[in-house]
Amino acid sequence: AQAHNYFRQRKDLLTALARRELAAMETRRRSEIERGRNRAEKLRLSTVAYLREAAERGALIQVLTQSSEVRAALRAERAAAQQTGRVQVMGALTASYGVPRDVARAMTTVLTAICLRAGRLVGDGKLELATAERMALAIQNAGNRDLLRLYGGRGSSDAG
């Protein structure tokens, strides 16, 4: 069938394609998280799954989101999804490890930005996947260890 029979405008087609690709990435990431036995393992699995999906789908997603119309159409739903994820991580850090909410927010924001940037570089072909995985995981682990040291969580095997 022809695309114009299903989508009124070019931006509608591109937005639908971007949504499909982003949903597929998120589905894969969530299925990997479910395999984790503790917070550290879930974080590792989530990061690796995201970076591997970025290697596979990142170039297409970046091309699609270069369109300001596509970015605008996705902005609200992406912001809501990101906020939900951040709230869950911040809640876990606060409840499990006694990390103050503002510190948990800052840490989550910074570590997420690092992972997203690594994914963009992988998607652009500017960074090898294996290097991105090593770097992102090392930074996340160091951040988690520092938080545990500062706030004395319930056990380092679960902190990452």
Side-chain angles (χ1 to χ4, degrees), residues 132-157:
E133 289 175 351
R134 280 193 309 275
M135 290 172 53
L137 291 173
I139 292 167
Q140 286 177 344
N141 288 337
N144 284 327
R145 276 193 302 273
D146 285 351
L147 273 186
L148 185 62
R149 233 184 332 269
L150 285 170
Y151 299 101
R154 291 190 293 176
S156 61
S157 66

Side-chain angles (χ1 to χ4, degrees), residues 70-142:
V70 172
R71 282 194 313 275
L74 297 174
R75 188 169 291 128
E77 61 202 65
R78 288 181 78 186
Q82 290 169 350
Q83 179 63 20
T84 299
R86 282 192 190 108
V87 166
Q88 289 173 346
V89 172
M90 288 169 18
L93 289 171
T94 299
S96 298
Y97 306 109
V99 176
R101 192 152 177 81
D102 60 330
V103 174
R105 180 183 306 108
M107 180 189 170
T108 301
T109 300
V110 169
L111 294 180
T112 298
I114 289 167
C115 188
L116 292 174
R117 181 64 178 144
R120 279 192 299 275
L121 291 171
V122 167
D124 278 343
K126 295 178 180 177
L127 183 62
E128 290 185 17
L129 175 60
T131 302
E133 289 175 351
R134 280 193 309 275
M135 290 172 53
L137 291 173
I139 292 167
Q140 286 177 344
N141 288 337

Side-chain angles (χ1 to χ4, degrees), residues 62-80:
Q62 287 179 23
V63 167
L64 293 169
T65 57
Q66 283 177 355
S67 162
S68 59
E69 294 173 323
V70 172
R71 282 194 313 275
L74 297 174
R75 188 169 291 128
E77 61 202 65
R78 288 181 78 186

